[in-house]
Amino acid sequence: MWGFFSRDPTKDLVNFEIQEQLQFDPQIQERTIWTLNNCKRKSSSVLPVGTSQPQQNQDSLYSVFSFQFRQGQENLFQSAKNAFKRTKMLRHPSILMFQDGIENDKSVFIVTERVQPLFNYLRESKENDAQRLNEISWGLYQIATALNFINSDCKLVHNNVNMSSVFVNRAGEWKLLGLEYSHGIQDQAPYKHLTTLDCYTSPEKSPLGGLNSNQNARQHESGADSWALGCLIWEIFNGALPNVNALKNPGQIPQRLVQTYMALINPSPEKRLTPSKFVNLCRQSNGFMNNHFIDTLLFLEEIQIKDTNEKTKFFTELTNKLDDFPSQLCKYKILPQLLQAYEYGNAGSSVLAPLFKLGKLLDENEYKKNIIPVVVKLFSSTDRTTRMRLLSQLHLFVEHLSASIINDQIFPHICLGFNDSNPAIREGTIRSMVLLAPKLNYNNINVELMKHFARLQAQDDQGMIRTNTTVCIGKIAPYINPQLRQRILLSAFPKAMRDPFPLSRLSGIIALANTDRFYTLKDIATKVMPSLCCLTVDPEKDVRDEAFKTLKQFMQKLEKVSDQPELALDLEKDVQSCNLDLKNETSWTSWAMTSLSSKMTGYKNKNQQPSIALNTQPLGPPPSINAAVKSETKTEEKKTDETKIEVFKEEKKIESINSGWNFEEDNDWKDLEDDDQMEPLEPIAPIKANLSTKSTVNPTNASKSDWSEWTNSFEDETNQLPKASSYNWSSSQTNDDDIFNNLVKDVKINEKKNPQSSSSSGWDSWNDWSDSKETKKQERVKKQTENKQKITAGPLKLGQKKTNMNFEF
């Protein structure tokens, strides 16, 4: 009747999907009654009371041990039912835990966590010798403690310890099963119907079950498990046990384990080591289980009762020991306990070093799930030790951080380190930017970060921090937006080269040399090289040597373009380029290009032009001064509003025109002329112009100069040169550090604040030039003094009439 109402086993396991079968080794398969299959829990399954829904990952993967009843296997079927009952009843960390199961009159199913046979695991293991020994020592420790629990606490005898009854989970932990022949200590041992198990029977045991006739007491009944533990040790190092006589030869069992092994297989049961004594002897000095690996695992199991000093010492020493630990146990056993110790055990920042080292064993998804949340939480900590450990170990986990996490959750906290009073924190923060720069967005790297760098480079009192700031700017230069990059670099590096700290000056030179592709040829000639020339007389020889070396590098580049002007565009291709050839592709580049599409698209569609225009033809004869004056006169007739033309610039304009260069900077060489050497101009035509308040140029000098030889040598007046008015002589780009601009600063201020002065200048009569030079000097100085007093009076108020400033010469 019960057979009629029995459940179909394939339908009873509705919560699990049975998958492929795991094949035992042939010698092991004949020593077990079970068939092992992988299975996984269905997403729609009904969970037992008190359990939570597992995620569809390793937590939903299981193994199922099955036995199907066949005719003539009644005894084996009873053994399977006994195993079902014992497995469901026993709970121990080293005993394979019962998850679900079915028992009826046709089959027995036991569902456990995902495992594989020990024999298969050892055969496929890729650990080195040291890791393998650590792994076996921990496995034997687990099996021995499980047997001690069964014998001492449960008063049972396992009676089936061998290679076929030990399994390994994904964390590399050994689990004991095979409880089909277990019995109480005071009960008679069941008969083993599998004759292949006779080699594991202890001498005092009868193959038919129970004790031999010469044994009258059962106080040493558990000695059978000690004997079987010795058999397991032999199989671990030598393979499947062929017969009982093979136990006499230890084979490849390590020498440190041989003595305790022999004590386990002592023929006299009262002289055998119990599982607990076996563990104690192996844990003694020079014992097989006396190693850092077992010490580490035992400490982690008891970490909640350890004090802070013990935890700090343990985690500090752990990092160097991890190399000899098995990878599976590190990944799935030690790492989760480290995370738990940090989260709930007040482990502090000392746990970070081993945590990040073990994190390298995880794949990308596992890392983001387990490690990234810890990292984000740690960066928000105000503890300096924690921050320093994070910065020093940033290279271990930065590749796993997404750009959004860095910009939104980590970078704001890291920036606090730039203002920290501890120099070590500031320096570590600067160094970390090299690793974070590829993933920073436009605002963080071009605005926020550069603000901090500018302040550190100018105001920090530590020379090494200023030096590292310059080095960092040079390293992250490819990631700076190209529209800002040239301005930033040409401001930061020359500033570093004026630093009183020698290493800072040296770093500025090296940074310029390593970022040469980001400067136009014009900037190299007018900004970079002049800055470098100042360091050729630096007090430090290392600085001078590097300055000369870098000058030669830039000089060769300019000479190359001078000989082959067509290479100018190619040499400047990276100046405004966003798609640089970098070893590590960055995510922020595409993001920045998207946000600046309106600006960058227009730039891309525009044909790029070189910053300089070189003329490869020989110089022609310079035009006469009369022609230049006529050209300026025509220009004044067309553009009446352009009245700021200075006569003293005529000679410099002519030189610039003839050389073929189109300078945009103010070249106020007039301030270097001596007034005593100037001679009056020959009057040609009345021209309205805005005179400088310092000096004028006498074109008669030009006729007396060496240019007369050029005029006599070349009679061809068909040389078509651009007009002087086509050049931008007064660019808005000025350099406050340029000595020539500083010399005329006061003059430019006068011109800016007194635009009407040109209308009242004494150009109506040219006879004033015949006055003595000394009288002119005195009058000019007097007028300049009066003008300066008017300027210092402050700006004009709205509606106030301007006062004409007449200049007499």
Side-chain angles (χ1 to χ4, degrees):
M1 182 179 67
W2 291 108
F4 178 79
F5 290 103
S6 63
R7 297 178 295 177
D8 185 357
T10 59
K11 296 181 179 179
D12 290 333
L13 288 175
V14 293
N15 294 336
F16 299 90
E17 178 184 347
I18 299 180
Q19 298 174 326
E20 71 279 1
Q21 178 180 347
L22 272 70
Q23 297 295 333
F24 287 92
D25 184 86
Q27 292 180 319
I28 303 300
Q29 181 65 61
E30 62 185 10
R31 300 178 183 183
T32 183
I33 65 174
W34 301 104
T35 299
L36 178 60
N37 290 79
N38 290 332
C39 69
K40 69 176 183 178
R41 186 183 294 274
K42 297 178 180 178
S43 58
S44 60
S45 62
V46 179
L47 298 176
V49 178
T51 59
S52 59
Q53 177 68 40
Q55 299 180 358
Q56 292 300 316
N57 49 27
Q58 287 288 344
D59 296 334
S60 63
L61 302 180
Y62 298 89
S63 293
V64 55
F65 294 83
S66 61
F67 178 84
Q68 299 290 339
F69 173 74
R70 294 183 180 86
Q71 192 68 27
Q73 295 182 342
E74 290 80 2
N75 294 328
L76 295 179
F77 188 51
Q78 289 299 323
S79 299
K81 289 185 176 182
N82 183 48
F84 182 89
K85 181 182 67 173
R86 299 292 186 186
T87 305
K88 193 174 182 179
M89 178 183 63
L90 296 176
R91 289 289 187 271
H92 189 270
S94 297
I95 297 178
L96 199 54
M97 182 176 292
F98 179 90
Q99 300 288 343
D100 201 349
I102 298 173
E103 177 189 358
N104 53 41
D105 58 351
K106 291 184 179 180
S107 59
V108 175
F109 289 89
I110 301 176
V111 178
T112 67
E113 61 178 307
R114 176 65 63 87
V115 292
Q116 61 176 319
L118 175 61
F119 188 89
N120 297 13
Y121 178 81
L122 295 177
R123 181 181 58 191
E124 299 171 359
S125 177
K126 298 180 181 179
E127 310 290 354
N128 57 40
D129 294 340
Q131 293 173 339
R132 184 181 178 87
L133 288 177
N134 285 332
E135 189 175 40
I136 292 175
S137 66
W138 176 245
L140 289 175
Y141 179 91
Q142 291 179 295
I143 299 301
T145 54
L147 288 176
N148 182 65
F149 168 76
I150 293 173
N151 298 156
S152 301
D153 299 337
C154 301
K155 305 301 180 181
L156 297 174
V157 180
H158 188 279
N159 199 29
N160 190 32
V161 179
N162 55 68
M163 188 73 79
S164 65
S165 60
V166 179
F167 300 87
V168 184
N169 63 8
R170 65 168 182 164
E173 294 187 291
W174 294 13
K175 304 289 185 177
L176 185 61
L177 197 63
L179 295 168
E180 49 267 26
Y181 303 113
S182 61
H183 61 91
I185 290 181
Q186 301 300 325
D187 299 333
Q188 184 176 356
Y191 175 67
K192 298 180 181 180
H193 297 278
L194 295 179
T195 58
T196 53
L197 298 177
D198 292 344
C199 59
Y200 302 112
T201 304
S202 59
E204 72 276 8
K205 286 279 190 176
S206 169
L208 299 178
L211 298 174
N212 287 333
S213 58
N214 58 350
Q215 298 290 339
N216 297 320
R218 296 183 181 275
Q219 64 269 21
H220 300 296
E221 180 70 19
S222 61
D225 285 343
S226 298
W227 175 277
L229 180 60
C231 297
L232 176 64
I233 293 175
W234 194 96
E235 287 187 313
I236 289 172
F237 293 98
N238 300 288
L241 181 65
N243 52 66
V244 68
N245 294 326
L247 295 174
K248 299 178 180 179
N249 182 15
Q252 299 181 9
I253 298 177
Q255 189 63 34
R256 292 187 300 165
L257 188 58
V258 170
Q259 185 177 359
T260 51
Y261 159 74
M262 297 302 295
L264 287 173
I265 61 172
N266 194 302
S268 177
E270 63 272 7
K271 294 182 180 179
R272 292 177 196 151
L273 293 176
T274 61
S276 61
K277 290 182 179 179
F278 167 74
V279 171
N280 292 335
L281 286 176
C282 289
R283 290 286 294 159
Q284 292 181 1
S285 178
N286 201 33
F288 183 68
M289 296 180 184
N290 185 19
N291 54 58
H292 295 303
F293 182 56
I294 294 182
D295 293 340
T296 299
L297 295 175
L298 295 179
F299 187 94
L300 289 173
E301 290 180 355
E302 302 173 351
I303 194 170
Q304 300 297 337
I305 62 175
K306 303 293 183 180
D307 59 32
T308 305
N309 294 333
E310 289 177 320
K311 293 178 183 178
T312 302
K313 181 181 178 181
F314 169 75
F315 289 121
T316 302
E317 299 174 351
L318 178 60
T319 306
N320 297 329
K321 302 175 183 177
L322 293 175
D323 294 332
D324 293 333
F325 291 0
S327 58
Q328 289 296 106
L329 276 159
C330 287
K331 182 177 179 180
Y332 297 110
K333 176 70 175 179
I334 298 179
L335 181 58
Q337 291 186 351
L338 291 180
L339 293 172
Q340 187 177 9
Y342 170 76
E343 189 71 21
Y344 305 107
N346 297 325
S349 60
S350 57
V351 74
L352 296 182
L355 183 65
F356 292 142
K357 186 170 184 178
L358 293 180
K360 295 187 294 185
L361 301 175
L362 302 177
D363 58 30
E364 191 65 25
N365 293 331
E366 292 174 332
Y367 200 99
K368 291 181 178 179
K369 175 184 176 182
N370 299 317
I371 306 297
I372 297 302
V374 177
V375 171
V376 174
K377 183 179 179 180
L378 287 171
F379 270 109
S380 62
S381 173
T382 57
D383 181 61
R384 278 199 174 106
T385 304
T386 301
R387 175 61 60 85
M388 198 62 202
R389 291 180 184 271
L390 283 172
L391 295 176
S392 62
Q393 298 164 19
L394 183 62
H395 63 281
L396 297 177
F397 57 87
V398 66
E399 61 182 5
H400 301 285
L401 298 175
S402 64
S404 59
I405 291 179
I406 290 178
N407 288 283
D408 299 336
Q409 304 182 48
I410 294 181
F411 183 77
H413 295 295
I414 287 185
C415 286
L416 299 177
F418 290 122
N419 300 319
D420 199 281
S421 59
N422 190 337
I425 298 294
R426 298 201 301 273
E427 183 179 6
T429 305
I430 294 171
R431 292 175 179 267
S432 67
M433 292 300 109
V434 178
L435 300 174
L436 296 178
K439 297 184 179 182
L440 292 180
N441 59 30
Y442 176 88
N443 183 72
N444 284 341
I445 192 172
N446 297 289
V447 181
E448 298 298 329
L449 183 58
M450 292 306 146
K451 288 180 181 178
H452 291 292
F453 279 173
R455 182 185 56 80
L456 289 172
Q457 194 183 46
Q459 301 178 8
D460 200 280
D461 58 349
Q462 299 293 325
M464 289 305 300
I465 292 180
R466 299 196 301 272
T467 301
N468 287 335
T469 302
T470 304
V471 173
C472 184
I473 295 175
K475 288 182 176 292
I476 68 173
Y479 308 107
I480 301 176
N481 186 269
Q483 291 185 336
L484 304 174
R485 179 168 52 213
Q486 192 173 359
R487 293 166 52 192
I488 291 174
L489 300 186
L490 289 178
S491 175
F493 297 155
K495 182 184 296 183
M497 292 190 295
R498 297 189 298 271
D499 195 288
F501 190 60
L503 289 181
S504 182
R505 300 196 298 272
L506 187 62
S507 66
I509 300 174
I510 297 175
L512 276 175
N514 291 332
T515 57
D516 62 334
R517 57 178 174 161
F518 301 132
Y519 312 121
T520 62
L521 297 172
K522 183 178 184 301
D523 284 337
I524 291 176
T526 60
K527 298 179 181 180
V528 176
M529 294 185 68
S531 300
L532 290 171
C533 288
C534 298
L535 296 181
T536 57
V537 291
D538 192 271
E540 301 295 333
K541 187 176 187 306
D542 291 339
V543 177
R544 297 196 301 271
D545 293 344
E546 193 65 34
F548 282 117
K549 178 182 177 181
T550 307
L551 278 171
K552 292 178 182 178
Q553 173 183 335
F554 286 114
M555 183 62 71
Q556 292 175 356
K557 191 172 184 179
L558 294 177
E559 289 179 350
K560 185 176 181 180
V561 177
S562 178
D563 296 336
Q564 302 179 27
E566 63 275 8
L567 298 178
L569 186 61
D570 183 66
L571 293 177
E572 293 180 349
K573 63 180 180 180
D574 291 337
V575 173
Q576 295 291 339
S577 176
C578 294
N579 301 320
L580 300 178
D581 185 13
L582 302 175
K583 293 182 179 179
N584 298 323
E585 288 296 329
T586 59
S587 58
W588 77 267
T589 304
S590 58
W591 186 94
M593 287 294 296
T594 303
S595 64
L596 299 176
S597 58
S598 59
K599 297 180 181 180
M600 301 301 293
T601 302
Y603 175 79
K604 284 185 174 181
N605 295 334
K606 185 179 179 180
N607 294 330
Q608 185 176 353
Q609 299 295 331
S611 62
I612 57 176
L614 300 184
N615 184 10
T616 58
Q617 300 297 327
L619 290 176
S624 62
I625 296 181
N626 292 339
V629 174
K630 292 180 181 180
S631 175
E632 291 297 330
T633 304
K634 294 179 181 180
T635 304
E636 287 297 327
E637 294 175 354
K638 294 180 180 180
K639 300 180 180 180
T640 57
D641 57 340
E642 297 181 359
T643 60
K644 297 182 180 181
I645 301 175
E646 300 173 354
V647 177
F648 64 89
K649 291 183 178 180
E650 291 299 323
E651 184 175 6
K652 298 309 298 178
K653 291 180 181 179
I654 296 173
E655 293 179 3
S656 300
I657 294 173
N658 290 330
S659 61
W661 291 86
N662 184 11
F663 289 100
E664 296 181 359
E665 300 286 334
D666 288 338
N667 296 308
D668 296 304
W669 291 84
K670 59 183 180 297
D671 300 320
L672 301 180
E673 297 289 343
D674 189 0
D675 291 335
D676 294 337
Q677 298 179 1
M678 295 183 183
E679 296 182 6
L681 287 168
E682 293 293 334
I684 300 177
I687 300 177
K688 294 178 65 178
N690 184 20
L691 295 181
S692 171
T693 61
K694 294 196 70 175
S695 62
T696 58
V697 175
N698 189 349
T700 308
N701 284 346
S703 62
K704 296 180 180 180
S705 65
D706 294 337
W707 286 98
S708 59
E709 300 179 1
W710 288 78
T711 306
N712 297 330
S713 301
F714 301 94
E715 300 297 337
D716 186 9
E717 298 181 356
T718 62
N719 185 19
Q720 300 296 329
L721 294 176
K723 296 181 179 180
S725 60
S726 65
Y727 290 86
N728 182 13
W729 295 97
S730 57
S731 172
S732 61
Q733 299 178 357
T734 60
N735 187 358
D736 295 336
D737 297 327
D738 190 354
I739 185 174
F740 305 113
N741 289 330
N742 291 334
L743 291 175
V744 294
K745 183 180 297 184
D746 294 338
V747 178
K748 292 184 178 179
I749 294 176
N750 290 338
E751 294 174 352
K752 180 177 181 180
K753 292 190 176 183
N754 299 280
Q756 297 179 0
S757 61
S758 59
S759 61
S760 59
S761 59
W763 280 92
D764 295 336
S765 176
W766 290 84
N767 297 327
D768 293 338
W769 289 102
S770 60
D771 296 340
S772 64
K773 298 179 181 179
E774 294 297 330
T775 303
K776 290 191 296 180
K777 282 186 178 181
Q778 295 176 0
E779 293 177 355
R780 189 159 54 248
V781 170
K782 181 179 179 180
K783 293 296 182 181
Q784 290 177 356
T785 304
E786 293 176 357
N787 292 336
K788 290 181 180 179
Q789 292 176 353
K790 293 179 181 180
I791 292 175
T792 55
L796 297 176
K797 297 182 179 180
L798 185 63
Q800 183 178 355
K801 185 177 181 180
K802 295 183 180 180
T803 304
N804 291 334
M805 301 175 65
N806 297 327
F807 297 90
E808 295 181 2
F809 293 87

